[in-house]
Amino acid sequence: MPLHRNYGYHPSLETEDLMKTIYFTAASLDGYIADPNDSLEWLFKNGPTDISFIDTFVNTVGALAMGTSTYKWMQQHAEEWPYKVPCFVFTHQNLKPFPGADIRFVQGDVASHHKEMQKLANGKNIWVVGGGDLAGQFYDQGLLNEMHIQTVAVFLNEGKKLFARHTDTAFKIKNIRQHGDTCVEVIYSIATT
Ligand SMILES: NC(=O)c1ccc[n+]([C@@H]2O[C@H](COP(=O)([O-])OP(=O)(O)OC[C@H]3O[C@@H](n4cnc5c(N)ncnc54)[C@H](OP(=O)(O)O)[C@@H]3O)[C@@H](O)[C@H]2O)c1
C-alpha cells in the first residue's frame, strides 16, 4: 500500500484503484440520502460549494447503477443526461429513457447484471448511485468494494436511508477528506477481517 494512504487523502487515489464497485453518495448526519419526498434541497442548501470532487470521481467510472427513485429524480431535475457511460436502472416500472443516453432498464438479481456492467466498464469503476436498498443488494452479494460517503452537517430526522436494510455491516475507514466547512467524505472499504 502506498505510504500516502496512511496519512490522508491523496488526489491520485481515484485513479489508482480502478475496477471497484463503489456506493458514492451524500448523506445527512443521521444517515439519510433524501428527505421523505425524495428532495435533495437539504444537500444543495448545506452541502459544499466546490463539488469538483464529483467530476474527478465520475472520470473513474465506466458504468452506473441506480434504482427507480433515483432515476425519477434525474428525470425531474436534469435537463439532459449527464453521463457518457452505460447506466443500469433497476426498476419494475416502465420508465422513459433520456434521448441518446445509454440507459438499460433491468430488474432482478444484481449479480447477473453486475457481470455485464463489469464488461462494459472496461477496467473502470462501477458507481452505485443509490439508493440504499440497491446498494444493500450489491453488498449482500459481496459485490460492493467501497462506500464514499459525503456526510453533510445537517439532520433530517426522516427520509430515504443511506443503507436501507442492514444493521450489522462491516466497513473500515480507508481515507477521509474535508469539503468546505460542512462536509466530510469518508472512504470505507469492506472489512475482510
Ligand atoms: N444524496 C445523494 O447524493 C443521493 C444519491 C442518489 C440518490 N439520492 C436520492 O435518494 C432517493 C433514493 O431513493 P430510494 O431509496 O427509494 O432508492 P432507489 O434505489 O432509487 O429506488 C428503489 C426502487 O428501485 C427499484 N429497484 C431496486 N432494486 C431493484 C431490483 N433489483 N430490480 C428491480 N427494481 C429494483 C424498486 O422500485 P420499483 O419496484 O417501483 O421499480 C425500488 O423500490 C431518491 O430520492 C434519490 O434521488 C440521493
Side-chain angles (χ1 to χ4, degrees):
M1 174 187 284
L3 195 60
H4 68 255
R5 295 235 190 117
N6 297 328
Y7 294 94
Y9 180 77
H10 187 279
S12 64
L13 189 65
E14 285 97 342
T15 51
E16 282 175 3
D17 297 317
L18 295 187
M19 208 49 184
K20 288 183 175 164
T21 299
I22 300 172
Y23 183 28
F24 175 105
T25 190
S28 68
L29 268 181
D30 47 354
Y32 295 102
I33 59 171
D35 82 2
N37 302 315
D38 287 314
S39 169
L40 297 180
E41 273 312 301
W42 60 275
L43 175 58
F44 299 127
K45 193 170 147 206
N46 302 287
T49 45
D50 180 0
I51 54 167
S52 52
F53 66 93
I54 300 178
D55 290 336
T56 308
F57 175 73
V58 168
N59 286 336
T60 74
V61 168
L64 300 92
M66 65 178 67
T68 299
S69 310
T70 303
Y71 183 75
K72 281 183 172 173
W73 188 94
M74 294 295 294
Q75 283 183 315
Q76 282 157 19
H77 296 90
E79 279 170 27
E80 55 185 40
W81 187 249
Y83 307 112
K84 295 186 170 57
V85 297
C87 178
F88 285 56
V89 178
F90 287 82
T91 187
H92 299 105
Q93 300 184 28
N94 193 8
L95 300 169
K96 260 178 78 177
F98 278 78
D102 185 348
I103 294 169
R104 299 156 194 233
F105 298 108
V106 297
Q107 55 182 251
D109 182 17
V110 295
S112 54
H113 299 295
H114 186 259
K115 285 198 183 74
E116 181 66 10
M117 294 177 80
Q118 280 186 308
K119 269 190 228 153
L120 292 164
N122 201 18
K124 297 181 100 180
N125 289 321
I126 294 169
W127 178 12
V128 180
V129 185
D133 186 81
L134 186 64
Q137 292 174 49
F138 282 92
Y139 177 84
D140 287 340
Q141 302 264 10
L143 299 171
L144 198 64
N145 303 114
E146 289 183 2
M147 297 199 300
H148 298 198
I149 308 300
Q150 301 95 39
T151 300
V152 175
V154 60
F155 289 108
L156 292 182
N157 285 315
E158 55 180 350
K160 302 297 170 76
K161 286 183 183 168
L162 171 65
F163 225 61
R165 290 174 283 113
H166 299 73
T167 51
D168 190 18
T169 47
F171 295 96
K172 282 189 174 169
I173 295 171
K174 181 176 169 187
N175 233 307
I176 298 174
R177 58 179 171 167
Q178 185 173 343
H179 303 296
D181 58 4
T182 60
C183 177
V184 65
E185 178 172 24
V186 180
I187 297 181
Y188 300 91
S189 54
I190 305 292
T192 50
T193 54

